Amino acid sequence: MVLILFRNVSLCNGDATKDQVGSSARERIGLGQRQTRVGRSATWGADENADVPAGGVTLRGGTLVRDSGLPDAIVPSSQQLPIDQLPDDVLLYLMASRYCETDKLTDVAWSLFGNTIPGWERVAAISSFVHNHVTFGYQHAHHMKSAHDVYEQGAGVCRDFAHLALTFCRCMGIPARYCTGYMGDIGIPYDPNPMDFSGWFEVYLSGQWLTGDARHNKPRIGRILMGTGRDAADVALTTSFGRMDLVKFLVISDEVVAA
């Protein structure tokens, strides 16, 4: 089993406690995220032939993160770069991927956003459209749902909002990548329904990655990035090799108020 439960390496700057995962296991860095491998020859202090046992596995963890306390940046002056000026490692985020079918949505994207100003204004228009077009609800979640499905059905969860928004961005020539992480109700009224695990997206404008969030469509405080990828397939919390059923899933991210 491969897990992505830790903070992204970009947040590990020594100013917070070390991440703790209950099933202490070997860790490696991959694709910009810290991945934990649990299984044969992977667990510290265990028999070299040990596998994840049959019958049930509980994974639990916690960490304390020092955040700036600032909301997501709003940068209206950020510009969309011509494709021939993009770095080589950014071109990947213009292409179709498992859940983001640019070929199916390019005509739709240009019909909706072709008259918007390239850059921040275009990204804001895309985020607002997706926010208003898609209805949030856990009952709409499905692991096979793609960006095109979300557009057609008009319903989904946070990852579906992100998939549709970043696919529209790619269709319009804006590099966009999927983000997964923790986000509590900080700086907003408490909401007991959605848990504190979230998916959003980032766009590459004026030479930097900027946060976009079509699900909430407003700046938020306290995002804890875990991983980035082409879409959710690259940053799944758990990837198991064999049949496994998720029985319970709970994420809590609370603000620690200084005494």
Side-chain angles (χ1 to χ4, degrees):
M1 180 185 292
V2 176
L3 315 173
I4 300 179
L5 298 173
F6 294 139
R7 292 166 293 159
N8 188 265
V9 293
S10 64
L11 301 181
C12 300
N13 52 13
D15 65 353
T17 61
K18 179 178 176 58
D19 295 313
Q20 301 292 328
V21 174
S23 179
S24 185
R26 190 168 68 194
E27 178 188 339
R28 69 184 181 88
I29 304 297
L31 299 175
Q33 38 262 4
R34 302 159 69 200
Q35 300 173 341
T36 303
R37 178 177 175 179
V38 181
R40 187 178 297 276
S41 302
T43 307
W44 291 332
D47 187 299
E48 283 298 304
N49 294 317
D51 278 319
V52 175
V57 176
T58 299
L59 299 169
R60 57 191 176 275
T63 189
L64 179 64
V65 177
R66 181 171 290 114
D67 181 75
S68 68
L70 299 175
D72 301 323
I74 299 177
V75 192
S77 62
S78 57
Q79 300 295 311
Q80 181 173 335
L81 297 178
I83 293 176
D84 62 357
Q85 295 181 20
L86 294 172
D88 291 344
D89 60 350
V90 172
L91 292 176
L92 175 69
Y93 300 105
L94 284 174
M95 300 177 184
S97 58
R98 166 68 181 82
Y99 292 108
C100 302
E101 317 101 317
T102 52
D103 55 337
K104 291 183 178 180
L105 288 169
T106 294
D107 289 344
V108 174
W110 278 96
S111 69
L112 291 170
F113 311 113
N115 292 326
T116 58
I117 298 175
W120 183 268
E121 182 174 316
R122 177 165 287 170
V123 174
I126 289 172
S127 292
S128 294
F129 173 84
V130 174
H131 178 76
N132 294 321
H133 179 75
V134 182
T135 299
F136 179 86
Y138 287 120
Q139 70 272 23
H140 305 306
H142 193 281
H143 67 283
M144 297 292 286
K145 184 177 287 188
S146 69
H148 185 262
D149 294 332
V150 180
Y151 176 71
E152 290 290 321
Q153 297 171 16
V157 292
C158 57
R159 85 170 202 166
D160 301 315
F161 284 76
H163 280 155
L164 181 55
L166 73 86
T167 302
F168 279 149
C169 288
R170 291 177 187 175
C171 291
M172 303 303 294
I174 303 171
R177 64 188 184 185
Y178 183 86
C179 301
T180 186
Y182 306 119
M183 186 170 65
D185 296 329
I186 300 174
I188 64 170
Y190 173 69
D191 185 345
N193 294 313
M195 75 176 103
D196 300 337
F197 175 71
S198 190
W200 58 91
F201 69 103
E202 290 179 343
V203 293
Y204 192 80
L205 297 174
S206 292
Q208 62 181 328
W209 289 104
L210 299 171
T211 299
D213 189 343
R215 159 73 175 95
H216 300 99
N217 203 34
K218 60 184 177 181
R220 293 289 299 269
I221 299 171
R223 290 184 197 272
I224 304 172
L225 179 68
M226 296 195 312
T228 61
R230 295 166 297 177
D231 55 36
D234 284 344
V235 287
L237 273 81
T238 63
T239 300
S240 58
F241 304 95
R243 176 58 188 263
M244 184 171 293
D245 295 317
L246 179 63
V247 177
K248 184 178 180 180
F249 177 49
L250 178 63
V251 176
I252 298 174
S253 177
D254 285 334
E255 181 179 14
V256 177
V257 180

